[in-house]
């Protein structure tokens, strides 16, 4: 698989993979992840599309200098995606994302709708679902976002392969629902990337930037509702995701008025890994 590297407008390294031929499809991963989140989807798309999977800043092979946590938030990551579009000569693309990637994809489409053919999103967080994230009965699911604010997280996990394995395995076991769908080496590759000294700490800067679900939900209580995204969207919702259950889809039309929703009953949080066929089908409709 061809790997590439470029510099974003902040001078930081951005790693990506690129393969296939046809209309561009740009894929944005979640946490914990990087471009390998799309290892199952890529072979289904590359016969018909030019597939680019980006490591967002602070993940995988992207970033090579220390930056303040503010440089890892939604606005900064949107800038990274825009820089990749520009550097690779991508005028317009289908944008695929879940978890962190869905949040970045929605904001990119809001700011640059002319550059997005369509959105394919897995269980996206959106402002109308913010009150649900803060409900006492559900707030506990987001404990890790509070933990990631602490330097204790760095001390307990960063640079410790066994700790990284235990920590990340928890999320795959709790959030995922189709374990047989994961590549046999996926967790090994994930741990290898996240266990490098500094890698885990860089990845949780997304949460420290204030862009995570809980902090975005808290900010949404006193903010005006953002303008809708004028881009067609196909939303796949994993009904077995304990983090974003199906009730979180209510009100999505306020953010994505042109969306279609498909609920996948036996799928959890990791949409492109657990449901690559369904994701590829949604992408092909835009191609």
């Amino acid at each position: 698989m061809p790997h590439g590297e470029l510099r974003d407008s902040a001078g930081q390294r951005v790693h990506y993979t690129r393969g296939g031929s046809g209309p561009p499809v740009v894929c944005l991963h979640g946490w914990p992840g990087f471009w390998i989140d799309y290892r199952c989807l890529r072979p289904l798309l590359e016969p018909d599309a030019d597939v680019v999977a980006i490591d967002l800043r602070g993940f995988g092979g992207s970033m090579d200098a220390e930056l303040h946590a503010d440089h890892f938030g939604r606005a900064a990551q949107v800038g990274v995606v825009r820089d990749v579009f520009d550097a690779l000569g991508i005028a317009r693309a289908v944008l695929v994302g879940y978890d962190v990637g869905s949040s970045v994809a929605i904001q990119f489409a809001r700011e640059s709708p002319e550059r997005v053919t369509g959105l394919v999103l897995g269980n996206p967080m959106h402002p109308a679902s913010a009150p649900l994230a803060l409900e006492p009965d559900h707030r506990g699911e987001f404990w890790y976002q509070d933990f990631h604010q602490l330097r204790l997280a760095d001390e307990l996990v960063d640079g410790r392969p066994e700790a990284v394995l235990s920590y990340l395995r928890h999320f795959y076991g709790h959030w995922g629902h189709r374990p047989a769908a994961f590549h046999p080496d996926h967790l090994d590759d994930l741990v290898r990337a996240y266990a490098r000294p500094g890698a885990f700490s860089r990845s949780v800067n997304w949460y420290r930037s204030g862009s995570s679900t809980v902090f975005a939900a808290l900010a949404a209580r006193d903010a005006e509702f953002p303008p809708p995204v004028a881009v067609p969207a196909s939303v796949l919702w994993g009904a077995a995701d304990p983090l974003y259950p199906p009730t979180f889809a209510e009100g999505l039309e306020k953010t994505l008025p042109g969306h279609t929703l498909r609920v996948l009953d036996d799928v959890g949080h990791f949409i492109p890994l657990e449901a690559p066929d369904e994701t590829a089908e949604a992408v092909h409709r835009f191609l």
Side-chain angles (χ1 to χ4, degrees):
M1 181 182 305
H3 291 253
E5 194 175 285
L6 56 87
R7 293 283 168 176
D8 64 23
S9 54
Q12 296 294 304
R13 181 177 64 235
V14 180
H15 172 265
Y16 63 91
T17 63
R18 188 177 195 179
S21 178
V25 176
V26 176
C27 302
L28 307 179
H29 60 82
W31 184 94
F34 57 112
W35 69 264
I36 65 168
D37 285 359
Y38 291 95
R39 70 192 319 160
C40 299
L41 180 64
R42 299 182 62 101
L44 303 177
L45 296 180
E46 288 182 350
D48 309 301
D50 172 16
V51 184
V52 177
I54 303 171
D55 285 353
L56 294 169
R57 182 180 291 166
F59 297 89
S62 292
M63 204 190 98
D64 54 4
E66 292 303 318
L67 296 171
H68 189 270
D70 292 346
H71 294 275
F72 296 83
R74 187 177 296 101
Q77 301 290 8
V78 166
V80 170
V81 175
R82 185 175 295 111
D83 290 339
V84 171
F85 270 57
D86 292 344
L88 299 185
I90 299 173
R92 201 162 183 251
V94 178
L95 205 51
V96 185
Y98 85 104
D99 194 82
V100 172
S102 68
S103 179
V104 175
I106 288 172
Q107 187 60 29
F108 182 89
R110 176 178 283 117
E111 295 179 12
S112 305
E114 74 285 355
R115 305 197 74 168
V116 182
T117 305
L119 293 167
V120 177
L121 306 173
N123 295 29
M125 179 63 182
H126 55 99
S129 64
L132 295 176
L134 300 176
E135 284 288 334
D137 290 345
H138 195 72
R139 177 68 174 81
E141 284 289 342
F142 296 102
W143 65 268
Y144 66 99
Q145 299 191 6
D146 298 311
F147 177 60
H148 289 173
Q149 305 299 318
L150 305 176
R151 291 301 164 189
L152 180 63
D154 304 336
E155 295 172 11
L156 294 178
V157 181
D158 190 78
R160 302 170 179 262
E162 290 186 2
V164 171
L165 172 60
S166 296
Y167 193 62
L168 300 189
R169 185 167 53 196
H170 162 78
F171 296 104
Y172 272 81
H174 183 53
W175 293 348
H177 192 71
R178 284 184 178 177
F182 300 132
H183 189 283
D185 297 328
H186 185 83
L187 192 58
D188 290 342
D189 291 342
L190 193 71
V191 170
R192 192 174 299 112
Y194 273 73
R196 297 194 307 266
F200 173 80
S201 296
R202 287 193 295 271
S203 78
V204 299
N205 277 327
W206 165 260
Y207 302 96
R208 293 170 178 171
S209 73
S211 296
S212 64
T213 299
V214 168
F215 288 88
L218 290 169
R221 294 184 303 182
D222 301 317
E224 293 184 9
F225 206 89
V229 177
V231 168
S234 178
V235 177
L236 303 174
W237 210 284
D241 180 4
L243 196 63
Y244 301 120
T247 52
F248 275 56
E250 296 174 7
L252 184 56
E253 69 281 354
K254 295 179 181 179
T255 295
L256 300 171
H259 84 281
T260 60
L261 176 66
R262 181 180 179 185
V263 178
L264 306 175
D265 291 332
D266 63 338
V267 173
H269 182 73
F270 301 98
I271 299 294
L273 287 165
E274 298 186 62
D277 292 331
E278 294 90 334
T279 306
E281 181 182 337
V283 172
H284 276 109
R285 283 200 292 271
F286 287 122
L287 296 180

